[in-house]
Structures are given as structure tokens and as C-alpha cells.
Amino acid sequence: MNEIPHRSSLVLIDAIGTRITVYANTPQELRALQREYGRRGYRPEGEIPCGGLQLPYVQHDTFDWSLIGATPWTSPDGERGVIHDGGFYKLRELEAVDSR
């Protein structure tokens, strides 16, 4: 019996509110499209949760900002961060804390 492939979709939006929907046959294809469009300034529709993204610390230096349509940037003053959805978010480097 032939299995019908399940297509996935993702709605993306750019800085001026243009919405597009991309389709893929696999989650890997969808993620590749998300990265491709993210590098062009599109981000997934919806908002970043209040307080920001909560991701494992191990992703700190390797997070792919194109997934959310953000671009790493260093200001003329040397402040590092990302530009996302019209705002600049400064990298905050804090001392490690033992939370045990």
C-alpha cells in the first residue's frame, strides 16, 4: 500500500507584515526552508515569548539566528547582539551561577 506523504507548512512574516506559507514533505525540509527565508529577514509568525527564548546554555555560541529571522550584529561601540523584528538585542554575558 502506498503511503501518502504528510506535508508540513510554516507561516512566515517579514518586517513589513508580508505573510508567506512554505510547504515541505519532511521536517528537515521545513527547517531548511525556515533557515533560507530567515536569512532573508522572514520570521515565523507569532511572538517570541515574554522573557525571550529559553534554550539550553550549550546552544549559546551556536544558535542559528536565521531560525527566527534574526541577524547577528556588532554595534559601532562594539556591543554584540542580534537584530530581530526591528529591535537590537544586546548579548549579556553574566558570570556563571551555581544554582544547586
Side-chain angles (χ1 to χ4, degrees):
M1 177 183 266
N2 290 339
E3 194 172 310
I4 299 172
H6 177 70
R7 289 186 53 122
S8 298
S9 65
L10 177 66
V11 178
L12 301 166
I13 188 168
D14 70 3
I16 61 171
T18 305
R19 285 179 174 77
I20 61 169
T21 303
V22 296
Y23 298 90
N25 292 318
T26 67
Q28 294 83 3
E29 287 177 10
L30 194 62
R31 189 66 78 209
L33 286 169
Q34 185 177 356
R35 284 184 170 100
E36 178 183 333
Y37 281 92
R39 285 188 291 272
R40 298 180 193 176
Y42 284 86
R43 61 177 174 79
E45 187 174 48
E47 299 299 321
I48 299 292
C50 184
L53 296 172
Q54 302 295 318
L55 301 169
Y57 186 76
V58 71
Q59 292 183 344
H60 176 267
D61 293 324
T62 60
F63 183 73
D64 184 352
W65 293 103
S66 69
L67 290 172
I68 62 169
T71 305
W73 187 69
T74 302
S75 76
D77 297 330
E79 293 182 322
R80 295 184 313 146
V82 295
I83 296 175
H84 177 263
D85 198 23
F88 175 68
Y89 298 86
K90 180 181 170 183
L91 172 65
R92 294 179 292 182
E93 297 184 85
L94 305 173
E95 295 294 322
V97 175
D98 184 358
S99 60
R100 290 183 275 171

